[in-house]
Amino acid sequence: LLVPGADGEDIPAPFNTLQGQFTPSADLNDRVVVWRGDITRLCIDAIVNAANNSLLGGGGVDGAIHAAAGPDLLEECASLHGCETGDCKITKGYSLPAKHVLHTVGPIYYRSDWEEAQAKLVSCYERCIETAVENSVRTVAFCAISTGVYGYPSTDAAMDATCTVRRLLEDKRYADKIDRVVFVTFVQNDVLAYNTVLPLVFPPV
Ligand code: AR6
């Protein structure tokens, strides 16, 4: 895989805006990883579901998670009375290898009010980490929230996701309470976006 920025290659826009912004930290680098595959296969404290406001299931990663977790997940979700965009609700993982599911609802992306969408996407990551810490969840795998059906550009989403997670891992409220964040990529767009963005936001020491 060719990673832009390696071997002196130019880092393309919009990623180049991140160059030189972040101080290298071995501790932070040890706690983040990009992994490509099906999030439902991860044996971890919690996986993040990109759900909708009803929390009653859907397509994409939401459909895959409900299919793998079994009907008990839907039953618990139905008792939660939905979820606001940018918020998060936690359930058990049932038949999943993951112990919990953090259900969050990303924004539907419209080019006209992208700043509002960005604020909501950042809020998804914040509320997931906050909810994880409240529930003693120490390892979290995020899917690329909103980048499928909800249409958020994967480059911008990867930048928002990694910058927000870095800020949260440095925040004293969460710093010692999260051991690992996995950014799960699935489609090629996200693989390229995360492989480009991660070494910029978490530069090698
Ligand atoms: N593992 C990891 N990532 C996956 C998987 C998987 N098994 N399947 C898809 N992805 P999407 P959204 C990636 O559309 O854009 C649902 O119907 C996918 O490639 O699942 O937030 C909900 O009910 C993409 O990068 O979620 C909502 O109605 C990312 O997961 C709506 O879709 C998110 O794509 C939410 O849309």
Side-chain angles (χ1 to χ4, degrees), residues 37-40 50-52 57-65 106-107 143-152 184-187 190:
D38 179 357
I39 201 167
T40 65
N52 57 56
V61 72
D62 195 7
I65 288 173
C143 65
I145 303 161
S146 280
T147 64
V149 178
Y150 282 0
Y152 207 104
V184 178
T185 55
F186 198 63
V187 292
D190 292 322

Side-chain angles (χ1 to χ4, degrees), residues 126-170:
E126 290 171 343
R127 287 288 302 130
C128 284
I129 293 293
E130 204 172 85
T131 307
V133 167
E134 282 165 10
N135 289 276
S136 305
V137 164
R138 302 192 63 95
T139 55
V140 179
F142 282 99
C143 65
I145 303 161
S146 280
T147 64
V149 178
Y150 282 0
Y152 207 104
S154 63
T155 51
D156 297 313
M159 289 168 67
D160 295 337
T162 51
C163 291
T164 304
V165 165
R166 174 157 178 148
R167 175 166 56 76
L168 295 169
L169 290 177
E170 290 182 301

